[in-house]
Amino acid sequence: MQTRRIFLAEIAAVSAAGAARRSYTYAEIERMLARGDLSGKIAKDDLPTPALLLDLDLFEANIARMTGHLRQRKLALRPHGKTHKCPEIAKALIRAGAVGACTAKISEAEAFAREDVTGLLITTAVVGRHKIERAIRLARRRPETIFSVDNARNVRDLNDAAAAARVKLNVAVDLRVGNRTGIQPGEPALGLAQQIASLSNVRLAGIQAYAGHASHTAGFENRIKVSREAMGQAVETRRLFEAKGIACPWLSGGSTGTYNIDPDIEGVTELQPGSFIFMDIDYNRIGGSDGAVYKDFHNALTVLTTVVSKPAADTAIVDGGLKAFSTDKPFVPESRKREGIAYAWAGDEHGRLTLTGAAAALDVGDRVEFVVPHCDPTVNLYDRIYCLRGDAVEKVWRVSARGMSQ
């Protein structure tokens, strides 16, 4: 049985630990962050704001849900790195069962490869002499890397460069099943695949087919219809390749919004969702299979701000503005835990809060945490992700590919 003396000793130890955390100077915290030596030493309220936070319990639950879902359906997972731009997250996903990581651009892939992320798929074509030189260098380092292609001249350029370097590149035919890049499905794609098959220094890995418009189609039934129509074209193109004697064992596509739709489309072999690890307001609004709010994954990513001014009883100004959150959506950040707070943009550095009810008690120095409108471009604004277990900072991950849009 616990004695009163032991109980009081434990309380004193906890109080002392809390006091120790609060006693760190900013310079000491910076040194701990630089060393990565901080587990159990600093808390959320020690962090300089605006700060990008990741709730590790929710993050891990999101990964477990996605990997378990796809494992049951025998589909591979290659999550998109453009969401997080963080090699530590890419490696955490691989440890959880992912076969690799997608990257939007070769610069992201280079950053990931430098930190030993494997199984890279670059989803935007590598075009131009300098980028092809980088592709050759990357392929030497990570021979399994797959490069997306949708143009005959680009394929020839890649093949010629690979021949000169005495390497062989893995390429995927990028199909236009959405509103971005890609060659038209069917006969045009077949012609490109036949060209690839005729060349000696490029090897067809399969088909890349991302239907971005399907991922954010509002309403679950509408999303099913849109995704099946888009990915159906990719499946038919894969069958066409194989009917013409061109092996096509791999078809990659899908998104966070269609993770529970695309596995039921026969012929899809791999999904490449990204936002599921973090989530955001944009995805919350598309609706789920069980209602108007998409709740399959948790909002694990937030931005912590500080109230820096209170010009009126019902108004507070925080230190997170246009430079702290993505601004590409028509909606604003939402308070995570406090009710009665309405956010409005107040310039580059500030946000204006309209306060009602209990939130009117907010004062200068108080912290307010916000769910972000769009996770991908928000992450790209930060150098660090502070990973929390409860309110304790457990890890700090570098956003190593921040700003790498080349």
Side-chain angles (χ1 to χ4, degrees):
M1 176 179 288
Q2 186 183 49
T3 67
R4 176 175 172 80
R5 181 179 297 173
I6 294 172
F7 175 76
L8 292 174
E10 288 176 348
I11 293 295
V14 170
S15 298
R21 282 196 300 269
R22 289 193 296 273
S23 70
Y24 287 124
T25 66
Y26 180 70
E28 289 170 331
I29 290 172
E30 281 291 293
R31 286 195 291 271
M32 285 190 288
L33 292 174
R35 294 193 305 265
D37 174 27
L38 45 81
S39 182
K41 295 183 178 180
I42 65 173
K44 178 166 64 176
D45 284 343
D46 293 318
L47 297 175
T49 60
L52 189 66
L53 309 183
L54 181 62
D55 184 312
L56 286 174
D57 291 329
L58 300 182
F59 168 75
E60 290 163 3
N62 288 343
I63 293 174
R65 176 159 191 156
M66 180 64 79
T67 54
H69 179 80
L70 296 187
R71 191 178 299 116
Q72 282 186 337
R73 287 153 181 81
K74 296 181 171 55
L75 262 69
L77 171 65
R78 197 186 308 258
H80 218 304
K82 70 183 178 66
T83 297
H84 53 79
K85 289 180 168 280
C86 173
E88 289 302 325
I89 290 179
K91 288 188 283 190
L93 287 159
I94 291 170
R95 287 193 298 270
V99 298
C102 294
T103 69
K105 302 291 181 66
I106 191 167
S107 54
E108 286 179 356
E110 289 167 333
F112 282 19
R114 278 194 295 271
E115 300 195 37
D116 300 319
V117 177
T118 58
L120 298 170
L121 164 62
I122 303 173
T123 58
T124 301
V126 177
V127 176
R129 178 169 59 87
H130 291 157
K131 287 185 180 177
I132 290 175
E133 288 173 3
R134 291 161 66 183
I136 297 299
R137 185 174 61 199
L138 178 60
R140 282 197 174 113
R141 180 169 193 158
R142 295 254 52 103
E144 79 282 3
T145 300
I146 302 170
F147 301 89
S148 297
V149 295
D150 66 5
N151 176 271
R153 177 178 175 181
N154 182 227
V155 169
R156 288 194 300 271
D157 290 344
L158 287 167
N159 182 75
D160 291 348
R166 297 183 180 179
V167 298
K168 198 159 189 173
L169 301 181
N170 302 303
V171 298
V173 172
D174 182 20
L175 288 189
R176 187 174 172 81
V177 296
N179 51 17
R180 299 181 190 173
T181 61
I183 193 168
Q184 293 298 324
E187 292 294 334
L190 173 62
L192 189 62
Q194 290 171 328
Q195 179 194 15
I196 293 166
S198 73
L199 298 171
S200 59
N201 286 82
V202 288
R203 178 192 302 109
L204 181 67
I207 292 173
Q208 138 84 8
Y210 178 65
H213 66 300
S215 64
H216 284 82
T217 297
F220 187 64
E221 295 302 321
N222 288 336
R223 200 154 60 249
I224 290 174
K225 180 181 177 181
V226 172
S227 193
R228 285 180 177 172
E229 181 179 348
M231 295 306 293
Q233 298 177 74
V235 169
E236 289 303 316
T237 301
R238 182 186 176 198
R239 289 172 181 160
L240 178 61
F241 287 8
E242 292 177 338
K244 297 295 184 179
I246 298 174
C248 188
W250 173 83
L251 169 52
S252 182
S255 66
T256 295
T258 63
Y259 87 102
N260 53 356
I261 298 169
D262 298 335
D264 295 328
I265 301 173
E266 187 176 355
V268 175
T269 68
E270 175 181 289
L271 261 60
Q272 47 179 256
S275 298
F276 74 95
I277 60 171
F278 292 154
M279 295 304 289
D280 53 31
I281 298 169
D282 195 18
Y283 260 120
N284 295 156
R285 295 161 65 101
I286 68 171
S289 59
D290 58 352
V293 179
Y294 186 47
K295 299 180 291 186
D296 291 37
F297 302 96
H298 304 284
N299 289 113
L301 187 79
T302 55
V303 169
L304 181 67
T305 66
T306 300
V307 176
V308 294
S309 179
K310 194 172 184 188
D314 64 349
T315 305
I317 306 298
V318 293
D319 58 357
L322 300 174
K323 293 179 181 177
F325 301 95
S326 66
T327 60
D328 59 311
K329 301 298 178 184
F331 34 85
V332 295
E334 295 179 359
S335 174
R336 182 180 188 184
K337 296 180 179 178
R338 295 176 184 260
E339 295 183 356
I341 295 176
Y343 181 99
W345 304 117
D348 290 354
E349 313 297 345
H350 302 107
R352 181 182 300 107
L353 310 186
T354 300
L355 310 174
T356 57
L362 272 178
D363 207 347
V364 171
D366 289 339
R367 301 291 185 100
V368 186
E369 200 171 333
F370 292 94
V371 178
V372 304
H374 187 184
C375 55
D376 300 26
T378 297
V379 170
N380 198 46
L381 298 171
Y382 291 86
D383 294 314
R384 295 168 173 161
I385 302 173
Y386 296 99
C387 306
L388 279 76
R389 193 78 67 181
D391 284 339
V393 178
E394 186 171 298
K395 303 174 183 177
V396 178
W397 287 335
R398 290 180 297 110
V399 186
S400 299
R402 176 190 179 188
M404 293 185 180
S405 58
Q406 300 79 29

